[in-house]
């Protein structure tokens, strides 16, 4: 998407959370549940496809984008295109907002680079196995994927100097690869302080055992092998976040599938909260992000929370608070009896709340450079109750899981006396004239 041309009596400015929500929903009223990326025509839904078929579609999209860039198009224009209905995915930026009860005062303070599938919905879990398989079996192609993501972020930051920092996810195994280290350092030199790299929790790739060995607990192996690398990265000026913090004192598994397989979080989740907030680990990070699951349970978020929550699939379908999920993540059986089911959820919510209160106290004690990020949408009551006004970021905010190209975060500011308030971007300046149809 080409940057907007500035008119003589106009400037482009970042919209606050309320302004952007009004601008987007004016043309895309279903943005909370329907992706703005035009859907690809598929022979069958992705969830019915075997891994190999999904992988072929994913690789075709990746190679197509790389070719377009090789032919002279800019990385950001290619990677964030919403209207490429002939490919499986693009990238999108999910906003992080300054936590304010008044959304009109909530500034855009960060963006996370994420996948955006051309499938009419925001969910991307259905292709996580493709990424895993690509990393396991074709690391060169995987590195091209990661390089494209970073180059698109850098291109956006250079095109839009007023954009806040963009963060990119990096797995523990990736941090140990010389190619990734060079990519991170080069990106930091090109956009110092404006590109951020998140240590994610994923350790179940085939490279992890080779790179980290098998001696000792997960915590010991990470501390022995990864922590020195992150120290060097920080010393070289790299901005680092610890992503998806979860407390093992509350969570045993990350879902029913993991529980059935016996894949305990303590054996594979790299960003356990007490470890990330310990003195030695916290010293390498500029900030931390609190997992969506943890926030949902600690703040008792659900479809009963409000109309917006009830319309979003993760809440509408009780994905995080149904009896099966509660039993799985806690590792405790829950019967079908209504009283016991309610009690199990309340116990989980209470334990999550206690641990989150303690974790936020630790975060304040460490005085991180970057405000803590709560990866969820917060209500005014939560902001007041938890003392978060101006003291944290909420990822997604009023947009929940939605993500957009960089140009969408800007609007026209007309110089007085023409106007006193921002206007929604016109179609030429990023926002679509109509939304995609499912």
């Amino acid at each position: 998407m080409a940057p907007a041309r500035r008119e003589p009596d106009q400037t482009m400015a970042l919209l606050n959370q309320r302004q952007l929500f009004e601008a987007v929903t004016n043309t895309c009223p279903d943005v909370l549940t329907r992706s703005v990326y035009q859907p690809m025509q598929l022979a069958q839904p992705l969830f019915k496809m075997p891994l190999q078929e999904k992988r072929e579609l994913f690789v075709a999209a990746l190679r197509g984008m790389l070719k377009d860039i090789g032919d002279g198009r800019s990385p950001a224009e290619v990677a964030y295109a919403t209207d490429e209905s002939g490919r499986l995915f693009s990238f999108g930026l999910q906003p992080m907002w300054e936590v304010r009860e008044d959304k009109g005062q909530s500034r855009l303070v960060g963006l996370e680079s994420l996948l955006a599938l051309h499938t009419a919905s925001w969910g991307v879990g259905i292709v996580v196995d493709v990424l895993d398989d690509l990393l396991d079996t074709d690391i060169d192609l995987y590195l091209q994927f990661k390089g494209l993501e970073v180059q698109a972020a850098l291109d956006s930051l250079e095109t839009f100097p007023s954009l806040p920092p963009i963060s990119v996810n990096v797995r523990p195994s990736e941090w140990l690869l010389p190619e990734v280290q060079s990519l991170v350092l080069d990106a930091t030199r090109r956009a110092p302080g404006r590109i951020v790299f998140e240590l994610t929790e994923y350790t179940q790739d085939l490279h992890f055992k080779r790179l980290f060995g098998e001696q000792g607990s997960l915590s010991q192996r990470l501390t022995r092998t990864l922590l020195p690398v992150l120290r060097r990265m920080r010393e070289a000026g790299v901005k680092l976040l610890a992503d998806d913090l979860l407390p093992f004192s509350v969570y045993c598994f990350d879902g029913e599938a993991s529980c059935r397989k016996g894949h305990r979080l303590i054996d594979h989740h790299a960003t356990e909260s007490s470890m990330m907030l310990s003195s030695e680990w916290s010293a390498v990070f500029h900030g931390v992000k609190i997992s969506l699951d943890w926030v949902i349970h600690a703040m008792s978020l659900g479809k009963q929370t409000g109309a917006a929550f009830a319309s979003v699939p993760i809440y509408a379908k009780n994905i995080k608070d149904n009896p099966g999920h509660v039993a799985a993540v806690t590792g405790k059986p829950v019967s079908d009896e209504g009283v016991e089911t309610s009690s199990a959820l309340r116990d989980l919510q209470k334990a999550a709340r206690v641990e989150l209160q303690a974790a936020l106290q630790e975060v304040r004690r460490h005085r991180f450079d970057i405000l803590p990020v709560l990866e969820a949408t917060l209500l005014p009551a939560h902001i007041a109750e938890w003392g978060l006004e101006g003291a944290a970021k909420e990822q997604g905010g009023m947009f929940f899981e939605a993500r957009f190209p960089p140009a969408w975060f800007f609007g026209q500011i007309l110089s007085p006396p023409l106007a006193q308030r921002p206007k929604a971007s016109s179609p030429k300046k990023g926002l679509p004239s109509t939304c995609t149809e499912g």
Side-chain angles (χ1 to χ4, degrees), residues 124-138:
V124 297
I126 198 69
V127 297
V128 169
D129 58 345
V130 176
L131 284 175
D132 294 341
D133 184 66
L134 205 59
L135 177 58
D136 287 343
T137 63
D138 194 339

Side-chain angles (χ1 to χ4, degrees), residues 53-127:
E53 190 173 348
K54 289 191 295 182
R55 175 180 165 134
E56 289 171 0
L57 290 171
F58 191 94
V59 170
L62 173 59
R63 293 194 189 281
M65 285 189 275
L66 294 172
K67 181 181 183 302
D68 286 345
I69 294 168
D71 289 341
R73 294 178 63 191
S74 73
E77 177 189 6
V78 171
Y80 299 118
T82 62
D83 55 358
E84 295 285 351
S85 59
R87 71 187 191 209
L88 182 62
F89 78 94
S90 294
F91 289 98
L93 300 175
Q94 187 179 21
M96 300 179 217
W97 303 98
E98 183 181 48
V99 171
R100 295 290 180 188
E101 184 173 345
D102 178 0
K103 301 307 180 187
Q105 299 298 316
S106 177
R107 298 179 301 118
L108 183 68
V109 288
L111 297 160
E112 182 177 359
S113 173
L114 295 168
L115 287 179
L117 297 182
H118 289 260
T119 56
S121 67
W122 289 115
V124 297
I126 198 69
V127 297

Side-chain angles (χ1 to χ4, degrees), residues 29-36 120-123 308 310-313 316 399-400 402:
D30 297 329
V31 67
L32 299 188
T33 55
R34 187 182 300 279
S35 172
V36 299
S121 67
W122 289 115
S311 68
V312 175
F399 292 99
F400 289 83

Side-chain angles (χ1 to χ4, degrees), residues 359-418:
L360 290 176
Q361 288 180 349
E362 280 295 293
V363 169
R364 297 185 190 101
R365 186 176 70 83
H366 288 303
R367 299 179 183 274
F368 290 112
D369 299 341
I370 298 173
L371 293 174
V373 181
L374 281 73
E375 300 189 73
T377 297
L378 308 180
L379 288 179
H382 296 130
I383 295 169
E385 179 186 2
W386 288 75
L388 297 173
E389 178 77 14
K393 302 178 187 180
E394 59 173 337
Q395 184 152 340
M398 298 169 73
F399 292 99
F400 289 83
E401 292 298 307
R403 53 211 71 148
F404 311 110
W408 285 39
F409 296 100
F410 291 86
Q412 295 178 25
I413 305 295
L414 303 182
S415 302
L418 296 178

Side-chain angles (χ1 to χ4, degrees), residues 230-272:
L230 296 183
R231 284 199 187 106
R232 292 197 298 272
M233 291 289 123
R234 167 134 188 172
E235 290 167 359
V238 177
K239 285 278 189 179
L240 297 167
L241 287 175
D243 187 29
D244 274 324
L245 267 61
L246 273 178
F248 291 167
S249 59
V250 176
Y251 297 93
C252 295
F253 302 95
D254 55 15
E256 293 176 73
S258 294
C259 185
R260 286 194 298 270
K261 296 174 183 177
H263 293 168
R264 301 182 305 162
L265 285 175
I266 197 171
D267 297 323
H268 71 81
H269 191 97
T271 52
E272 195 274 330

Side-chain angles (χ1 to χ4, degrees), residues 28 55 64 67 102 116 155 175 211 213 226 233 257 298 325 336 355 385 398 416 428:
C28 304
R55 175 180 165 134
K67 181 181 183 302
D102 178 0
D155 189 28
W175 280 110
L211 294 168
L226 178 59
M233 291 289 123
H325 185 76
D336 294 332
E355 288 297 329
E385 179 186 2
M398 298 169 73
K428 291 182 180 179

